[in-house]
Amino acid sequence: MANSLRGEVIKLYKNLLYLGREYPKGADYFRSRLKAAFLKNKDETDSEKIKHLIARGEFVVKELEALYFLRKYRAMKQRYYSDDKP
């Protein structure tokens, strides 16, 4: 069963690696933390535990996407609206 989850884990890692390119502290910082997190759990064989870790990773993906959308929203708002309204 754990072997069938391997594809999901690789997909999650690639997705997080892609999202980490725009991380505020830098891509290298994010990449090192991501690699450490995945290596910490590399020997996990229990399929339920692996599913739980994948769910946690997908939560992190959603949080990163929200962070990036918020940053984009703030930039657009700053570009088109001035703070000093009469």
Side-chain angles (χ1 to χ4, degrees):
M1 183 76 172
N3 200 19
S4 65
L5 296 173
R6 187 172 195 270
E8 287 185 54
V9 172
I10 292 172
K11 181 180 172 186
L12 176 65
Y13 185 81
K14 286 181 178 182
N15 195 9
L16 284 166
L17 199 58
Y18 176 77
L19 288 172
R21 295 182 312 155
E22 308 259 337
Y23 195 69
K25 288 189 175 183
D28 292 331
Y29 172 81
F30 187 85
R31 189 179 311 115
S32 66
R33 300 276 313 262
L34 177 65
K35 185 176 180 180
F38 272 77
L39 285 177
K40 184 175 88 173
N41 296 305
K42 73 176 184 168
D43 295 324
E44 191 62 51
T45 57
D46 182 26
S47 62
E48 291 302 316
K49 176 76 172 170
I50 294 172
K51 287 178 186 178
H52 176 71
L53 291 168
I54 290 172
R56 184 188 306 172
E58 296 197 0
F59 174 77
V60 171
V61 167
K62 289 178 185 175
E63 289 292 316
L64 284 171
E65 288 173 345
L67 174 74
Y68 297 153
F69 286 135
L70 181 62
R71 186 173 68 184
K72 183 178 177 181
Y73 168 77
R74 286 181 177 164
M76 295 296 282
K77 185 177 177 185
Q78 195 175 43
R79 186 175 296 151
Y80 294 109
Y81 299 103
S82 63
D83 290 336
D84 53 318
K85 291 186 179 183

